[in-house]
Amino acid sequence: MRIYAAAYLLPISSPPIAGGALAVQDGRIVAVGTLNELRAQFSAPVTDLHESVIMPGLVNAHTHLELTHFPAWKVRKELDYLPKRYVEWIQQVVKIKRALEPGDIEHSTREGMRLCLESGTTAVGDILSDFSLVPLYRDTQLSGRLFLEAIGHDPVLCDTLVARLETALQGIEGGLLPGVSPHTPHTVSGRLFACLQALSERLGIPKAVHLSETTEEVAFMHDTTGAFADILYPMAHWEQYLPHPMRTTSTRYLDGLGVLDASTIAVHAVHVTPNDVALLKERGVSVVLCPRSNDRLFVGCAPHKLLKQSGIALALGTDSLASNDSLSMWDEMRYLQQAAPGVFTPGDLLAMATLGGARALGIEERVGSLEPGKRADFQVLGCGFASGDASIEAALIARAEVEQVYLAGTPYSQ
């Protein structure tokens, strides 16, 4: 056993503790309290972190680590431009992925893991499109969920895809738990959605879906017009699967398929309506906000105030480096504070980036807060808390710097 003490300890699930500490044994948190309280309980060596702050590792609830090297790939393939429309970005991604060489995605994914850990993220909700890379995750020090992505409209290939996906899911071992990711309402057929829902229910695993990310999606779901119908479907050779005008929203469409429930994670939710939000709340869906990605792709800004007031469970994600500048959740929190002034308190932001993400991923019994029984994943932060700061949470959002990351009670080192 060892006790870790600091100027402040932020459990997230309870108020900050001045002079706080946590006791760790066999990779698990045994107790949380003041240093004096823990010294009275346990005869164990103390690691004094002095003026630092201890808080849980961050939870990046939505990312695509396989695309970490995307900025370098753009330069290498002479496709280094910033698309002004979402569909142009999709075309860029497809062109680059088709030109990759063996080993590129593996190296990219490993780099993503490293960047997460170095920036204080200890758990992820990672989307993986290349099932052959599942073994790569067995030895990662990250925890969280690995969501295997499914895309397609061809009914002949549906059963084959689901069978491949289920086989790959069985190979997920180690610190990450399995999940499935029906890509979007417009890139996954109704039949495939139904099959993935049945798989989710049978295996007891969550599903993550990109929802209402763009105005193009709004137009397509309403009357089958716009760039998705004119460019995206022909590019994928899906012309025969263009639906008749549905006069609906993505949320109502998915609800009609019976796939919205407490195991559903809706990512982005930029263009949801008030009725959509009420329906998501009623079905127990969690929403992961990716504000920097939305800004980079010019898709708009999620209705942050509406989502918060609805009481929907909220989390944060960075998305990938194909649509973001970093995989730092600290950068994400700071950007959201500026993008939605007055909507989220510093405490809200920290909770969304820790326990909120853990709850969305269904791993809150393991990580997301500093509580007895949970894995001892925590970060040590320097922030220079001053008398002018409104709270320790505000000081952290303003200027926290990651000094050290602990995984199961062991200092992270590359």
Side-chain angles (χ1 to χ4, degrees):
M1 178 184 289
R2 178 169 290 274
I3 296 172
Y4 297 89
Y8 283 91
L9 185 136
L10 268 68
I12 298 297
S13 54
S14 56
I17 303 171
L22 71 162
V24 176
Q25 185 171 29
D26 298 328
R28 298 281 169 181
I29 299 172
V30 176
V32 172
T34 66
L35 177 57
N36 289 338
E37 289 170 342
L38 267 56
R39 272 183 164 152
Q41 282 183 266
F42 308 104
S43 177
V46 175
T47 296
D48 191 348
L49 299 166
H50 303 290
E51 297 305 311
S52 299
V53 177
I54 295 174
M55 68 168 282
L58 301 174
V59 181
N60 187 343
H62 178 73
T63 189
H64 301 253
L65 296 183
E66 64 186 7
L67 295 177
T68 299
H69 281 168
F70 191 85
W73 294 339
K74 287 199 303 182
V75 174
R76 191 173 80 191
K77 300 302 177 185
E78 299 183 349
L79 291 167
D80 189 18
Y81 61 90
L82 180 62
K84 296 298 183 182
R85 292 198 304 164
Y86 178 80
V87 171
E88 292 173 358
W89 176 75
I90 290 292
Q91 290 175 308
Q92 182 188 52
V93 172
V94 170
K95 288 177 183 177
I96 288 174
K97 289 189 73 173
R98 285 176 176 170
L100 293 180
E101 299 170 2
D104 281 348
I105 294 183
E106 178 179 344
H107 295 315
S108 181
T109 303
R110 289 189 186 278
E111 176 70 358
M113 294 174 182
R114 183 186 68 80
L115 292 174
C116 285
L117 290 164
E118 288 188 350
S119 60
T121 293
T122 57
V124 296
D126 191 27
I127 310 293
L128 182 65
S129 64
D130 186 343
F131 300 172
S132 70
L133 292 182
V134 165
L136 183 64
Y137 290 77
R138 291 174 185 166
D139 298 325
T140 182
Q141 296 180 72
L142 291 166
S143 62
R145 290 272 179 189
L146 182 58
F147 294 89
L148 301 188
E149 187 173 70
I151 297 176
H153 279 282
D154 190 338
V156 176
L157 299 178
C158 178
D159 292 342
T160 302
L161 173 58
V162 173
R164 282 185 54 238
L165 193 149
E166 183 168 6
T167 299
L169 286 170
Q170 294 170 356
I172 297 177
E173 302 173 355
L176 275 77
L177 300 174
V180 295
S181 181
H183 182 239
T184 71
H186 55 275
T187 56
V188 175
S189 69
R191 181 184 172 195
L192 183 52
F193 257 114
C195 290
L196 295 174
Q197 175 68 19
L199 184 64
S200 168
E201 293 174 351
R202 181 156 52 83
L203 300 182
I205 58 176
K207 53 194 180 298
V209 57
H210 300 79
L211 181 75
S212 297
E213 184 177 1
T214 67
T215 54
E216 290 94 336
E217 182 177 328
V218 173
F220 186 84
M221 299 305 294
H222 185 261
D223 52 22
T224 320
T225 60
F228 286 177
D230 298 339
I231 301 174
L232 181 61
Y233 267 57
M235 183 176 72
H237 305 294
W238 288 342
E239 294 94 332
Q240 63 181 307
Y241 304 117
L242 277 169
H244 295 293
M246 293 183 283
R247 312 297 183 193
T248 191
T249 67
S250 292
T251 299
R252 292 203 302 270
Y253 170 72
L254 293 183
D255 192 55
L257 293 178
V259 302
L260 291 185
D261 54 34
S263 72
T264 306
I265 302 167
V267 183
H268 296 295
V270 175
H271 296 284
V272 287
T273 68
N275 286 337
D276 289 339
V277 171
L279 186 54
L280 293 172
K281 170 63 176 176
E282 181 181 346
R283 297 292 185 256
V285 174
S286 298
V287 170
V288 179
L289 302 174
C290 303
R292 287 190 296 157
S293 174
N294 299 154
D295 178 69
R296 170 63 68 88
L297 296 181
F298 307 104
V299 300
C301 185
H304 301 119
K305 187 174 182 180
L306 174 62
L307 289 166
K308 182 185 177 183
Q309 290 178 340
S310 74
I312 284 178
L314 296 176
L316 280 178
T318 63
D319 217 320
S320 75
L321 291 193
S323 62
N324 210 335
D325 294 324
S326 78
L327 294 177
S328 168
M329 289 289 286
W330 288 106
D331 291 345
E332 207 68 38
M333 286 186 276
R334 288 162 183 153
Y335 179 86
L336 181 55
Q337 185 181 51
Q338 296 175 352
V343 176
F344 302 108
T345 67
D348 291 335
L349 295 170
L350 291 170
M352 290 162 62
T354 53
L355 192 53
R359 286 171 175 160
L361 299 177
I363 56 172
E364 69 273 24
E365 297 300 317
R366 301 180 174 206
V367 298
S369 61
L370 301 180
E371 299 179 73
K374 291 194 175 184
R375 193 170 114 143
D377 291 350
F378 59 93
Q379 53 185 325
V380 180
L381 306 163
C383 74
F385 184 58
S387 58
D389 292 317
S391 64
I392 185 62
E393 294 94 337
L396 288 171
I397 295 295
R399 54 185 177 275
E401 295 183 2
V402 179
E403 296 177 343
Q404 181 65 64
V405 175
Y406 285 77
L407 299 153
T410 301
Y412 167 70
S413 60
Q414 190 178 346

